[in-house]
Structure formats: structure tokens, C-alpha cells
Amino acid sequence: MLVFRHNDKSCEIDKDSLTLHDALKALGLDSKKVIAADFNGEHSDLSRTVTSGGEISPITADTPEGLEILRHSTAHLMAQAVLRLYPGTHFGVGPAIKDGFYYDIDVAGTITEEDLPKIEAEMRRIAGAGEKVAREDMTKDDALKFFADDPYKTELITDIDAPSVSVYKQGEYADLCRGPHVPDASKIHNFKLLSIAGAYWRGDEHNKMLTRIYGTAFATPDELKEYLRRMEEAKLRDHRKLGRDLDLFSLHEEGPGFPFFHPKGMAIMNTLIDFWRREHVKRGYTEIKTPQILDRELWIRSGHWDHYRENMYLTEIDEKPYAIKPMNCPGSLLVYKTQLRSYRDLPMRLAELGLVHRHERSGVLHGLMRVRCFTQDDSHTYIEPTKIKEEVLQIMDLDKYVYTNVFGFKYTVELSTRPEDSMGTDEQWEAAESALRDALESTNTPYTVNPGDGAFYGPKIDFHLEDCIGRTWQCGTIQLDFQLPGRFDATYIGEDGAEHTPVLIHRVVFGSIERFMGILIEHYAGAFPFWLAPVQVKIIPIAGDHMNYARELYDTFMSWGLRPEIDSREEKLGRKIRDAQLQKVPYMLVVGDKEKEAHTVGVRKRSEGDLGSMSLEEFRELLSKEFNPIH
RNA sequence: GCCGGUGUGGCUCAGUGGCAGAGCAGCGCACUCGUAAUGCGCAGGUCAACGGUUCAAAUCCGUUCACCGGCUCCA
């Protein structure tokens, strides 16, 4: 007698064993949409035979768990199709990921994106034929025999720490896999292969590069269509495209990874910096500036020479070796050391908008997001060891204010711990890591841990922001450092009259101003809020003889501290409006006879359209209601 | 750096071995205009660079560079 329950339903079956599929049927929970079952909290194949009863629920593809199973099964379906079209192909790993799945394959010859439709067609054939998917458990030894001619599966099986493994077979294709999977390929309808890329076996660049095919699958055709549409739309907010269209910045072959900022890009950057300065003054920071090029000896002392040399640009002055700074910390330490410091001076928050150069490998450059020179909104804060948590909390408060209140970003937080290539003792690292953890936990900040991802001098908390297609980029970071102050003999005199070594906190909020601008461009799709817009007000004279009034307005707006612009072209009104809209200017002011006479402006708002005529005072009042963190 | 793809006027793109094209932008002329593209005309390219094959190369081959999608690495 087996008893199965689902919520308040239950049924008794007079048998010794039963498949989960039959159990669902007995409970009246079966339908075409069901692809797997949740049995006692475990995701299982419908075909799984159980010898005792329990809690059971159907899993459908319209739930997150179901979608993951569907995508994983779609990856297997793709693998089977690839095996048919390219016999002899070996398979690496093929998991479901956010928004889809991939499979890494080792295929003779090359597959290009042009081959994807062919593979898709084969997948549809297999799915149409309803290819059955069957699980088979076997011992590791049997599995090793089974996959004897497959070096990748052999490696995976060898590394598995369990006596037996499961293998999923569908037709001529079989894969080492934990499962669960759809019962047969006919459950898979709405999928698309998206792109092709190289990927190192097991993510290690010393290993062979496999061919990775990305694809996605959804429960319904509409969801698939919607996803593809969203991706297309996202491309329109790509900061590289908008940067060109809006004349913000450019990149040139003459300086790969070294962005050029145009007047409008600089208007945004300077406004950001203006905001940044005001906010830092409020929070007790002072600002310094240190040189671009410093003696190599300094970098040897700081540890950069040993741990960061690959990323540094080197030069020579009067036959003496120098390096272009990849970080601002050593310069800051030299400033700190110019005086004898007291505990009363601490925390000493020395901020610096430092332009750093780092050699990045050619394949990683990406618009403003990944460049070879960028401006860090840095600070090096020197504190007493007992004040770490307090200071970290203060920085986290600043981060939250900037990301959430000012820009409305969603962000994720990561704690990165000691890397292999690092300086310092285990005790120091432990103390630093637990200080950061403590700060995160006392503020209930959700975070994930990145083991081994810290800087060479200390652990860090990173803040990640998303770009338009969901890739995340590290922006803010808080890094604890117990190493550099000691290396530089930086000290302070404590309350006890003795010399102590301060703890150094490296931190950035924007991270890289360049990267942050890239994120902002995509976040706003180029339609910057009023306070950041490079052109805030576009004055549009209707005809030539309204130019004088337009110039008068221009002068007035300049005196208000705005960034105005006149469209003086001999064009029709409609054309000027259209162009200003496309340039995403927040306010368009149409001025003709009526306005000139009454000394008013015809206000058109980018987001709302024509607001009608109003006096200059009324317009100013309207602007004063705009969000503006600088005022 | 690695794998795959791409490179034609400022931008978007056609052109697959036989005289380099279109639209938009630019410039000139006309229109003096009321809330998302006025009309006509003109000019603009060493087809990424270098080398090769060919009677002939934007087109085929090779090398390099840059860019795009990933991997690895990172703010």
C-alpha cells in the first residue's frame, strides 16, 4: 500500500511500487504540461519508480524549476542533434543558465552561426518524433566503461565523489547527467539557438577550447518571442551605439581601450563629479591628486611589482625605470606619510579622482565598460583597527544612497575572499574577512561569496550593476588592507602615546567613472534625467526672426546655471522637435511670435509632450521640481 | 591572450571576379514655417592595412590591426 499526498489531497494505491507519473495520474494531477515531479522535495523524472509514498507535486515548464529542467533537456536535445549532424563529436558540459542554456562540444572542424538553423531543424525532427528520454543508474566503473571513448565524461566521472552516477539516454545519444529531464523530447517546443562562442574546458585557459552553443527555451511561444524582442530592444540601448548617436564619446583604432569624451559626454561626467564632490565633502572626505607616473621602486615596495606587473605599463625617465599607475594607493600613502599622524586625525579619508592605466588583454575590451584607462572615484581611508566596521557601514550607506536613491539601480553584493596570489598572514586575512562579513550581516545585506576573488592585499565587498542585456559589471568596491600601511611604514600615534599601524580601506563608489557612465547610458536608454542631461533645454525658434528672442532666452538660462542649446537651423518646427526628441533633450522650448510678444516659452517635455505656454518664472518653478541631487 | 564572426562615405547598409552604390547626415538654393522628417540640387570612399593569386580583386588566398559575441581575466 502506497500513500501519495498533494496539499490536502491524498490517494492510496494498492501496489508495492509505482512511477511518479502514475502517482500524479492517481491524484488527478497529470496533464500535457507536466514535465517532471517534485517528490518529497526532490525534483525527479516522471518515470522514476518509487517503493514508498510521500508528498508529490507536478512540475510544469511555467515555473522557474520547470523552466530550468526544460532548458537543460533542450541542451540534451541539441546535443543529440549535433551528434547526428557531426558524428564523433564529444560533449563537455551543458547546463541551464539564466535565460537559457549552453552546451560545450568538441567537434571536428568548426561550427558557425550559419549552421545553427540546420541544428535547430534536426532538433525539431527529433522532438517531433517524440524521442524518449530514459534514465539509467550505473556504478562509476560501469559509467567509465560506457564513456570509455569520451575524454570529457571520463574526467567528470572520475571527479564525482559518489559510488554511482546516472546516465540519460535518448536515441543514439547518452549523457552523464544528474537530471531530472522531460520524459520525452515532444515536451520541447519553444526554443532557439542563439550564438556560438569558444569556451575553455572546465573554464581553465590552459585547457582545450571547446565550441559553446548558446540557446534558450521557454514554456510558450509567446514567452520565447517576448524574450527575443527584449534582446533586440536591449541592443538599441547599447551604450556604444547611444554614445555615438548622442555624441557622448568615441573610440579609435589609434587607442584601443582609451575612450575619447566629447563635449556632451564631458557635461555628464562633470555633473557626476560635481555630485560626487558635494557628497564626499558632506561625508568627511578631503581630496588629493597624485601623479600618473612614479618610480618603479615605489611599485616594488607596494607589492604591485610582484602581484600586478602583467597589467602595468612601464616607461623610463632619464634611463630610470618608472611605471604608469594602475592604482592610486601608493600615491595616497606617500601623502599620508608627509606628516606625523595622530589618532585624532583618523579616520583620514583621502579621496582621489585618479586616472589609472591597466593593460587589459585585447579580447576583453568593451566600450566604456572595459577599458585600458579609467578614472577611479577612489578613496584611501586610514583608520584605527577598532573602527573598521563603523567605517565600512558608513561607506555602505553612501553606496546605497548613490545606487538606490539617486540612480534607482538594482545591484548585487559580493564578498571576495583571499586569492592564491596574495600577501599577509592567515590571521590578518581572517580578521579582515570577518569584519566585512560582520558589516554585511549587521545591515541584512544579501550577498554571495566569491572564494579566492579578493585583491592581493585584502578581501573586498563588491557592488555589481547590470547592463542592458543583463551582464553584470563591478562598480563599487570596499577593500580592506592590512598590508600596504605596514609596507610603507605608515603610522599614527595612538591615545596611549605609542606608534600604531592604521588599517587602510580602499573604496570606490562609481568604480570607474567611465564604466559607470556606460551603465547609466544603458540604464536610462540615453534619456538622462534633467540634472544629468548634457543639453537640458533645447530652444527652438519657429522662424528666422525669432532668433533674437531665442538668444535672449539662452543668456537667461545660462545665468540660471542650465545647459541650454538653440536649434538655429533653417528647418521646419516638426523637424527640430523630432531631432531634439531623438537627442533625448528633457525640455524643448518652442518660441514664435506669441511667445516673443508675451515673453513666454512654449514648453514641450520629452516624456509628456506639449505643456503649453508659460512665463519664465513658471518654467523655472517647473524645473525646480525636477529631481536634482546637486541642489 | 584564446575560439567564432565582422570590417564598403560621418551613420545604417546594398554590392560574390569586369566602370564603387542607396538612404540618412553634410553643403548650396528655394520655402519663413506652431509641436516627431519641406522640396530640388551638389559634394563626399586607396572598399581597415599590407602582401599574394588573376588580363582584371571591395569580391579569392595569406598576414596584421580594430571591432562584435563568448571564454579566461577585471573597475
Side-chain angles (χ1 to χ4, degrees), chain A residues 201-356:
Chain A
W201 166 239
R202 307 198 110 183
D204 186 335
E205 65 177 316
H206 303 295
N207 288 341
K208 181 170 182 178
M209 183 157 271
L210 306 179
T211 302
R212 174 171 295 182
I213 305 176
Y214 283 96
T216 193
F218 285 89
T220 67
D222 285 349
E223 282 168 304
L224 175 62
K225 239 181 274 167
E226 167 62 17
Y227 171 78
L228 296 173
R229 191 192 60 78
R230 248 194 1 257
M231 285 300 108
E232 283 306 305
E233 223 165 66
K235 276 190 209 149
L236 300 178
R237 33 166 90 202
D238 190 312
H239 76 284
R240 293 164 300 188
K241 175 182 162 51
L242 287 169
R244 204 177 29 242
D245 292 350
L246 303 179
D247 196 17
L248 304 178
F249 67 91
S250 55
L251 290 155
H252 302 265
E253 284 203 19
E254 290 82 349
F258 301 124
F260 290 60
F261 285 88
H262 300 195
K264 285 179 183 158
M266 280 312 293
I268 296 168
M269 188 183 288
N270 285 332
T271 307
L272 281 175
I273 290 175
D274 194 6
F275 162 66
W276 182 89
R277 285 215 166 94
R278 286 165 192 252
E279 205 50 50
H280 280 70
V281 168
K282 276 188 216 162
R283 292 170 190 256
Y285 287 81
T286 53
E287 194 175 340
I288 61 170
K289 186 173 179 68
T290 67
Q292 291 293 300
I293 302 178
L294 292 163
D295 194 318
R296 189 177 69 188
E297 285 304 316
L298 179 78
W299 302 104
I300 292 172
R301 191 163 15 140
S302 69
H304 286 84
W305 191 253
D306 281 345
H307 300 278
Y308 208 71
R309 198 186 326 174
E310 266 68 68
N311 296 296
M312 290 168 67
Y313 293 116
L314 308 175
T315 187
E316 210 172 73
I317 300 174
D318 292 341
E319 286 157 45
K320 212 168 157 244
Y322 281 77
I324 300 168
K325 70 173 175 185
M327 294 187 194
N328 303 303
C329 23
S332 174
L333 276 151
L334 294 186
V335 173
Y336 179 87
K337 285 186 44 156
T338 55
Q339 284 188 39
L340 194 57
R341 306 293 181 183
S342 149
Y343 72 95
R344 295 171 195 278
D345 298 327
L346 306 187
M348 180 172 283
R349 305 187 181 93
L350 297 180
E352 172 171 16
L353 292 167
L355 180 66
V356 296

Side-chain angles (χ1 to χ4, degrees), chain A residues 271-272 275 279 282 400-409 520 523-524 527-533 536 562-563 586-587 605-606 620-631:
Chain A
T271 307
L272 281 175
F275 162 66
E279 205 50 50
K282 276 188 216 162
K400 191 174 178 190
Y401 171 68
V402 172
Y403 296 155
T404 305
N405 299 35
V406 175
F407 295 107
F409 284 126
L520 280 179
H523 179 64
Y524 293 123
F528 288 95
F530 176 74
W531 74 281
L532 268 180
Q536 296 173 299
L562 296 180
R563 291 183 292 273
Y587 287 96
K605 207 168 167 177
R606 171 180 68 195
R620 195 171 193 177
E621 179 63 23
L622 184 65
L623 296 186
S624 72
K625 289 186 188 130
E626 286 279 358
F627 174 77
N628 195 336
I630 294 178
H631 289 140

Side-chain angles (χ1 to χ4, degrees), chain A residues 389 392-393 396 413 415 433-449 461:
Chain A
K389 184 179 165 188
V392 169
L393 290 176
M396 286 175 61
V413 179
L415 173 67
E433 287 175 15
S434 69
L436 292 181
R437 208 181 291 269
D438 195 20
L440 288 168
E441 268 155 27
S442 69
T443 49
N444 289 321
T445 307
Y447 68 98
T448 55
V449 179
I461 296 174

Side-chain angles (χ1 to χ4, degrees), chain A residues 491-511:
Chain A
T491 58
Y492 65 94
I493 307 300
E495 215 169 343
D496 57 1
E499 261 192 5
H500 299 276
T501 305
V503 172
L504 175 56
I505 300 181
H506 312 241
R507 49 106 278 185
V508 287
V509 183
F510 296 148

